[in-house]
Amino acid sequence: MPELPEVETMCRCIRPAVGSRIRALKQPRSRLQPIKIAPRLSDFRRRVVGRKILSVTRLGKRVVVVLDAPESDQGDRIIFEPRMSGLVLLADPPSEEHVRLIFELSGKRVRQLLFWNRRGLGVVRLVSPRLLVRQLGPHILGPDALDVTPETLSERLGASRRAIKVALLDQRALAGIGNLYASEILHRAGIHPETPCNQLRPARWRKIHAAMQEVLEEAIRHQGSTLSDGTYRIARNRPGSFQVCHRVYQRAGEPCLQCGKAEIVRVVQAQRSTFFCPACQR
DNA sequence: CATATGTCCTGAGAGC
DNA sequence: TGCTCTCAGGACATAT
């Protein structure tokens, strides 16, 4: 978290910045460890100041801001990686001290683009189109979870011996799914998270695919999930609302909303919590 | 090659 | 009350 729905929501929220020019780039001084940026601030600044924001897109769990080019060919891209606790915002960050990078804009209504990150695991990169392909091309990042077909999904994961829950988190195989949505998707699909991928037949891959589209689209409509730690926000006082729709995530010990009988169980897979209903998921 | 594990980072909450 | 400890997990480096 933030996963695909939260990052998609961030992209939509910052899209009013399209058409603005970047006037300045600031890294607020802070008691905290600085986040990783590349290239170094001075080079980053030299390359973005004066550039116009042409578009905002999502690449898996990353926000991509496309800039115009000073000369003719294609411009640079700013890649925001929120990782665990990051947000890309136009205004109103949850706290001032965790604002890591400020792009001041020329817009009348949109004054700035902020990268906020509580834990500081996030990364911001400026890359040429060529470098973007090298660092985040199809050999690094699988097809987007919202674009993939059921056939491609089973082709990319079906031979793996790994548990389906673990495999769904592999961004090289499939981009956009994280720990929270992997559990929710498998619950809706009625599939046990520890099932090895290579034991799943085509009908079950279709179920996973359908559940994945359903959960992700519904989560986007709810503007993502804000968990008990409250980190994810659309703005300071605007949490997402998909958490009220969670059927298993962080519900260990509570009754399953589907069968009403079994209790939701928490297990650990690959050092991450997995939640599931032992009655509904087999 | 595929798969598994360790690391980064901060703040919240538990336990004493 | 204030200290120490554990935990959360996305992506990547390193190990098996």
Side-chain angles (χ1 to χ4, degrees):
Chain A
M1 243 264 314
E3 308 177 23
L4 186 153
E6 290 76 26
V7 177
E8 179 61 31
T9 303
M10 284 178 213
C11 288
R12 293 179 185 190
C13 288
I14 69 166
R15 226 156 252 151
V18 169
S20 294
R21 270 185 202 284
I22 298 172
R23 291 192 303 128
L25 172 59
K26 292 181 176 164
Q27 188 172 39
R29 47 187 317 128
S30 165
R31 65 178 175 87
L32 303 167
Q33 287 289 315
I35 59 153
K36 283 201 186 110
I37 67 168
R40 65 220 271 233
L41 186 64
S42 55
D43 295 335
F44 206 126
R45 181 181 286 128
R46 182 173 49 74
R47 282 168 59 184
V48 300
V49 169
R51 304 272 55 85
K52 187 175 175 179
I53 297 176
L54 296 184
S55 62
V56 175
T57 56
R58 182 179 57 75
L59 193 57
K61 301 178 195 173
R62 295 164 170 96
V63 175
V64 180
V65 173
V66 179
L67 304 179
D68 69 351
E71 313 280 299
S72 56
D73 40 73
Q74 289 199 83
D76 290 330
R77 276 89 167 121
I78 308 171
I79 312 295
F80 293 96
E81 285 186 40
R83 304 234 182 150
M84 281 295 291
S85 59
L87 300 173
V88 187
L89 296 159
L90 292 183
D92 230 7
S95 65
E96 287 303 327
E97 62 173 341
H98 300 103
V99 174
R100 310 300 185 128
L101 223 43
I102 305 171
F103 296 82
E104 294 193 349
L105 305 180
S106 63
K108 286 248 156 52
R109 299 190 328 279
V110 181
R111 309 297 303 178
Q112 48 188 203
L113 180 65
L114 306 173
F115 187 65
W116 180 92
N117 200 303
R118 184 155 61 75
R119 257 178 237 165
L121 294 178
V123 178
V124 183
R125 269 186 261 270
L126 183 68
V127 296
S128 66
R130 271 189 62 180
L131 193 55
L132 178 63
V133 172
R134 242 181 58 185
Q135 291 188 352
L136 293 170
H139 58 296
I140 302 289
L141 215 52
D144 193 84
L146 277 181
D147 296 333
V148 75
T149 62
E151 292 75 26
T152 306
L153 181 66
S154 66
E155 275 164 29
R156 296 191 66 95
L157 295 176
S160 174
R161 297 186 301 273
R162 290 179 296 179
I164 178 63
K165 154 65 168 32
V166 175
L168 284 175
L169 301 180
D170 181 352
Q171 302 300 297
R172 211 175 266 264
L174 179 71
I177 304 298
N179 202 49
L180 188 167
Y181 292 99
S183 282
E184 292 297 324
I185 288 164
L186 291 175
H187 181 260
R188 292 222 195 179
I191 288 166
H192 196 292
E194 286 170 320
T195 314
C197 290
N198 59 9
Q199 285 179 21
L200 291 164
R201 306 277 56 100
R204 313 205 86 194
W205 285 112
R206 286 194 295 273
K207 274 197 156 180
I208 294 170
H209 180 268
M212 186 164 78
Q213 307 309 305
E214 248 179 66
V215 168
L216 294 177
E217 282 167 14
E218 204 178 317
I220 290 170
R221 281 199 295 279
H222 283 81
Q223 301 185 293
S225 303
T226 297
L227 301 179
S228 49
D229 75 352
T231 297
Y232 170 73
R233 320 242 122 198
I234 298 140
R236 181 159 33 216
N237 295 316
R238 292 183 54 206
S241 63
F242 191 68
Q243 64 280 5
V244 306
C245 307
H246 292 178
R247 299 189 188 172
V248 289
Y249 192 75
Q250 289 189 340
R251 293 194 64 245
E254 297 175 38
C256 174
L257 297 170
Q258 178 123 334
C259 66
K261 291 185 184 133
E263 282 185 357
I264 302 304
V265 170
R266 172 185 174 271
V267 295
V268 174
Q269 293 179 276
Q271 284 106 255
R272 284 155 175 82
S273 297
T274 301
F275 299 87
F276 71 102
C277 171
C280 298
Q281 295 175 253
R282 310 211 154 261

